[in-house]
Amino acid sequence: MLTESIYQAFQAIRSNLLRAILTLMIIAFGIMALVGILTSIDAIKSTITNNFASMGTNTFNIIRKGSGIRGGRRGKRRLVSEKITYRQAVDFKRKFDFPASVSISAIGSTSATVLHNKNKTSPNVTIQGSDENYLPVSGYNIAAGRNISPTESFQGTSVAILGKVIADNLFPNYPYNQIIGKSVKIKNSKFKVIGILEEKGSSLNFNGDRMVIIPIQALRMYYGSFTDSYNISVMVSQSTEMQQAISNAFKVFRGVRKIRPGKESDFEVQKSDGLIDIIVENTRTIQLAAIFIGLITLFGAAIGLMNIMLVSVTERTREVGICKSLGATKRNIISQFLIEALVICQLGGIVGIILGILAGNVVTTQFGGDFIIPWTWITLGISLCFAVGLLAGLYPAVKAANLDPIESLRYE
């Protein structure tokens, strides 16, 4: 019976193909909007989470207050405190005697161009100044060459570590070990390549593979006036030592910033796992809003489907009368019209899910996210289509089942 009902549903759809396609596309666009938005959110969240997680659970950053990612503030903006100066960062690194690695870093430019002979990059390269501890603390690995030495960091030697994309653009078809020792030009100054980073990936507007790392003193020399604030990163050997390390860091940096006892700190500590929690919290609200928008669209699609089914009942009144005269029960009639509504909805859902996955991942790739297949949202889309089919098809099906067989036979 089920197979026969599905076959008849497809026959009814074929007999009114244009009307069925229009109804199907209304449902498809509703599901596409829902799945597309949720897919892009999940993909971007996954990429950011993976990037922060790569730093490890035993790392935290000291940043000026108000400049970090925040959650649960309902759109309110906070005042940003005074920037962390290079001298303050150096004093902290010198006075922090906890057994941990401390790194000082800063961004000089996010729109630089790097050249080698006739090859040059697009003007979207990030110039990062760092000390010898930046790579291990931030979770970067060297694919070829070596890290910046403490002496090079202190003296500001003109050396550079290239991200994978930069190395591939400037030295196409070169083995990485042959790039080491060659020179690149940044702001009309030559830098000797001492290392190449392993592929890191990207998140939102930051791409770790489009980065050039130079010694922190070299950054101060060439980009000092453009550096907004210095970042301090601390990595402890064991995650169980995190709270003690953070407490010690607070005490030391309050002294460095000359904050009097009882006065609120003008800096804050952010842990990588804490940032992941904030990201999840912020995206949850967006997900709920996307589901609400999708439900509104599907509600409109349900109204359109119900209208189409009511028209179908009117057009097939004589057919219903013939079925009843041949022994069809009310249950048979209800099942036939309900299955027809469900088939239309599921076809629309399948089209919408495919389009939604493609649209969501296309948007995600523009922000450097990873391609994902959102099984949770696929299940949600199929379930919603089933619910819409039941709600939109139930009343027309009951109306068809309650038609008087005698009146139906002499209809038209």
Side-chain angles (χ1 to χ4, degrees), residues 121 165 218 312 363 400 406:
T121 66
V165 173
S312 180
V363 172
I406 305 299

Side-chain angles (χ1 to χ4, degrees), residues 125-291:
V125 178
T126 298
I127 305 299
Q128 179 89 27
S130 70
D131 59 11
E132 69 280 2
N133 293 328
Y134 177 76
L135 295 186
V137 170
S138 301
Y140 286 94
N141 295 315
I142 292 286
R146 61 175 178 84
N147 190 12
I148 295 171
S149 69
T151 302
E152 290 168 338
S153 173
F154 178 75
Q155 295 180 350
T157 310
S158 296
V159 295
I161 300 174
L162 307 183
K164 182 180 184 301
V165 173
I166 306 301
D168 292 341
N169 286 349
L170 296 181
F171 303 94
N173 303 320
Y174 269 69
Y176 283 170
N177 60 348
Q178 293 184 16
I179 301 176
I180 306 303
K182 295 189 178 297
S183 296
V184 296
K185 188 175 290 186
I186 306 172
K187 291 196 72 172
N188 295 321
S189 297
K190 287 186 177 182
F191 286 77
K192 179 183 177 182
V193 178
I194 62 170
I196 298 171
L197 297 176
E198 287 185 358
E199 186 173 5
K200 182 71 173 178
S202 59
S203 60
L204 291 181
N205 61 342
F206 180 77
N207 191 331
D209 299 327
R210 285 193 168 274
M211 180 172 65
V212 175
I213 300 174
I214 62 176
I216 191 72
Q217 287 287 16
L219 184 90
R220 295 185 68 210
M221 186 184 306
Y222 295 105
Y223 293 96
S225 59
F226 300 100
T227 303
D228 181 37
S229 181
Y230 289 84
N231 182 59
I232 303 171
S233 300
V234 181
M235 182 176 68
V236 296
S237 57
Q238 299 291 333
S239 57
T240 54
E241 301 173 344
M242 278 288 286
Q243 286 306 121
Q244 185 180 355
I246 290 174
S247 298
N248 286 5
F250 255 104
K251 293 177 184 178
V252 173
F253 203 60
R254 280 181 65 88
V256 170
R257 299 274 272 190
K258 295 181 172 57
I259 301 174
R260 290 176 295 180
K263 190 176 180 182
E264 184 181 1
S265 299
D266 61 353
F267 62 92
E268 57 189 4
V269 169
Q270 284 191 336
K271 299 188 293 183
S272 57
D273 54 349
L275 290 172
I276 293 172
D277 293 337
I278 291 172
I279 292 167
V280 172
E281 176 190 346
N282 289 340
T283 56
R284 188 176 293 117
T285 303
I286 301 174
Q287 286 176 335
L288 292 175
I291 292 173

Side-chain angles (χ1 to χ4, degrees), residues 296-310:
I296 292 176
T297 307
L298 288 176
F299 179 74
I303 294 174
L305 178 59
M306 183 180 291
N307 181 58
I308 293 299
M309 293 304 298
L310 287 172

